[in-house]
Amino acid sequence: DVQLVESGGGSVQAGGSLRLSCAAASGYSAVTLCMGWFRQAPGKDREAVAVVATQPGGTKTYANSVKGRFTIDTEGTRNAAYLQMNNLRPEDSAKYFCAAQYLGGGIFDPARYELWGQGTQVTVS
């Protein structure tokens, strides 16, 4: 099965930074409409963090809780995404998932994403 492969999670102190990376497994080149990063903390629903439309110059949309601290980018690709996370807070601790949307729909709705990664843990203390 095709998957998205994430990397870059870890443990940091409050105020620190991490960069998450996500790409489709080798050989898969289908063009996405958008790529998103979601997160899920224990006992909570999965929530959107940041979404980017993957066409050149595509719109980037952020959850209010991360605006000004997180930056999403595709680096010009149509099936990869990166999340630079600065000034991390303990409440950012969660498992972070990368997702790809091919058919369109609500960009902050996890149900509208067709492909997911396995997740990478981010812990901020």
Side-chain angles (χ1 to χ4, degrees), residues 6-46:
E6 300 124 330
S7 61
S11 297
V12 295
Q13 292 188 338
S17 298
L18 285 172
R19 178 176 168 82
L20 305 183
S21 298
C22 164
S26 178
Y28 188 73
S29 60
V31 174
T32 62
L33 292 179
C34 62
M35 299 284 293
W37 285 97
F38 293 75
R39 67 187 181 189
Q40 188 167 19
K44 294 188 176 182
D45 293 334
R46 190 169 296 189

Side-chain angles (χ1 to χ4, degrees), residues 12-99:
V12 295
Q13 292 188 338
S17 298
L18 285 172
R19 178 176 168 82
L20 305 183
S21 298
C22 164
S26 178
Y28 188 73
S29 60
V31 174
T32 62
L33 292 179
C34 62
M35 299 284 293
W37 285 97
F38 293 75
R39 67 187 181 189
Q40 188 167 19
K44 294 188 176 182
D45 293 334
R46 190 169 296 189
E47 63 175 358
V49 173
V51 174
V52 56
T54 58
Q55 69 269 28
T59 302
K60 301 176 182 180
T61 308
Y62 298 93
N64 287 336
S65 58
V66 306
K67 281 181 182 176
R69 301 188 298 122
F70 291 12
T71 302
I72 190 170
D73 195 16
T74 64
E75 297 189 354
T77 69
R78 298 298 299 269
N79 53 16
Y82 307 89
L83 187 67
Q84 178 67 41
M85 305 186 295
N86 297 329
N87 192 20
L88 282 160
R89 304 168 180 169
E91 55 264 39
D92 294 319
S93 296
K95 195 167 189 178
Y96 283 69
F97 297 86
C98 177

Side-chain angles (χ1 to χ4, degrees), residues 107-125:
I107 62 171
F108 266 29
D109 182 358
R112 295 293 189 174
Y113 286 76
E114 291 83 11
L115 194 62
W116 289 84
Q118 296 297 308
T120 184
Q121 182 67 37
V122 171
T123 303
V124 186
S125 59

